[in-house]
Amino acid sequence: MKIAFIGLGNMGGGMAANLVKAGHKVNAFDLSSDALTRAKENGCATFTSVREAVDGVDAVVSMLPNGKIVASVFENDVLGHAPKGAVLLDCSTIDVDTARHVTTDAVAAGYDMIDAPVSGGIAAANNGTLTFMVGGTDSAFGRAEPILSAMGKAVIHAGASGAGQAAKICNNMLLGASMIATCETFAMAEKLGLDLQTFYDISSKASGQNWSMTSYCPVPGVGPTSPADNDYHGGFATALMLKDLKLAMEAARSVNADVPMGARATELYETFDAAGKGGLDFSAIIQSLKD
């Protein structure tokens, strides 16, 4: 297929490269010249505007920072410029209302569209092992699934338009809260004099086991390799976790959901981000809990 890929940041760059590896022809666009250079090195054709990139394609994939940008790009540069037969896939993490609004506009203009936010971080984006949570009609999902499968290990249809975004923010609210609980537990275990590897060996096989511990341990040298082993660089930035938590809080207010743990996690990540730690992996919050 001929696929336009819009947004080549930490996640999008690896995703576009995996589409090339799967045999697709990729038209890449980003505002960053460095990102375009990397995309070209990975086999993408590069363009200086979205409209040029979407001309004549079979599909458009976007990976953009927020809902306002997603709405602007699709409404101004994709709808009416990409061929009517193209399927549109927005893999950004944005608010549910914007996702539904953009999809409604796309359908009205004659396109199939899905929202398909991802889980897995930079390493999974580069390795093609992302999990996609997809919202949209059955027919749109059927068209999008082969494209998403080239970039991920799991593609799950969550429901109608906006359901992918709803699943993503619920998942990441749970992840943010569980990471903080894991971090504070290791910090307390250390102060109680426990050897952290020994504690990991115990808890990873006991009822306290969770993904933040056994797959993404926030302690250097303990468990599988994680950003903690790289001074908390790479992985999933604190600023991005905070963005997702704020989206979750917005969604919770809209449906009157009681989320005390999610709210407290948001407050703690806001403080950590305000201390200049937004560029570090979100597991680095263990530093503030130890202090």
Side-chain angles (χ1 to χ4, degrees):
M1 297 178 69
K2 188 175 183 181
I3 302 171
F5 202 107
I6 314 303
L8 304 166
N10 290 331
M11 299 290 289
M15 293 165 68
N18 282 318
L19 288 175
V20 173
K21 291 176 184 177
H24 300 294
K25 180 178 179 181
V26 177
N27 291 357
F29 171 79
D30 195 277
L31 293 174
S32 166
S33 58
D34 289 341
L36 289 175
T37 297
R38 288 191 295 271
K40 189 172 184 178
E41 292 171 350
N42 288 328
C44 299
T46 58
F47 294 83
T48 57
S49 75
V50 173
R51 293 184 184 185
E52 289 179 321
V54 304
D55 183 38
V57 300
D58 303 301
V60 178
V61 181
S62 58
M63 192 63 165
L64 298 165
N66 58 56
K68 183 177 180 180
I69 294 174
V70 169
S72 176
V73 166
F74 276 91
E75 292 171 7
N76 296 324
D77 298 305
V78 176
L79 303 185
H81 299 281
K84 288 291 180 67
V87 59
L88 313 180
L89 303 79
D90 180 40
C91 296
S92 319
T93 297
I94 62 175
D95 61 284
V96 175
D97 286 345
T98 297
R100 289 173 175 164
H101 174 73
V102 173
T103 298
T104 297
D105 287 349
V107 171
Y111 298 89
D112 279 335
M113 184 170 185
I114 57 144
D115 52 282
V118 306
S119 178
I122 296 172
N126 291 335
N127 295 331
T129 56
L130 292 167
T131 294
F132 290 91
M133 296 153 268
V134 186
T137 65
D138 289 341
S139 60
F141 175 77
R143 295 185 64 195
E145 185 176 18
I147 299 170
L148 297 174
S149 295
M151 302 182 287
K153 64 178 181 180
V155 181
I156 303 168
H157 193 188
S161 175
Q165 299 295 347
K168 170 64 184 288
I169 60 178
C170 287
N171 178 78
N172 277 24
M173 183 176 72
L174 177 59
L175 175 59
S178 66
M179 177 57 79
I180 290 173
T182 299
C183 288
E184 67 184 11
T185 299
F186 272 105
M188 185 172 76
E190 184 174 33
K191 290 181 179 181
L192 289 171
L194 290 171
D195 175 78
L196 296 186
Q197 180 63 57
T198 300
F199 173 68
Y200 173 88
D201 293 341
I202 294 169
S203 194
S204 64
K205 297 176 180 63
S207 55
Q209 185 275 332
N210 63 84
W211 186 91
S212 292
M213 174 186 291
T214 56
S215 296
Y216 211 83
C217 188
V219 179
V222 176
T225 301
S226 71
D229 299 304
N230 189 35
D231 293 327
Y232 300 99
H233 291 97
F236 188 52
T238 290
L240 295 178
M241 172 55 78
L242 179 58
K243 169 198 166 185
D244 290 358
L245 287 169
K246 287 181 175 179
L247 288 173
M249 294 306 98
E250 179 182 334
R253 287 189 292 270
S254 73
V255 295
N256 196 31
D258 189 18
V259 289
M261 299 300 288
R264 182 58 179 147
T266 304
E267 292 172 356
L268 290 171
Y269 276 111
E270 282 180 326
T271 300
F272 195 57
D273 180 67
K277 306 294 186 179
L280 296 179
D281 182 76
F282 78 111
S283 64
I285 199 167
I286 193 172
Q287 297 171 342
S288 63
L289 294 169
K290 289 175 70 174
D291 293 342

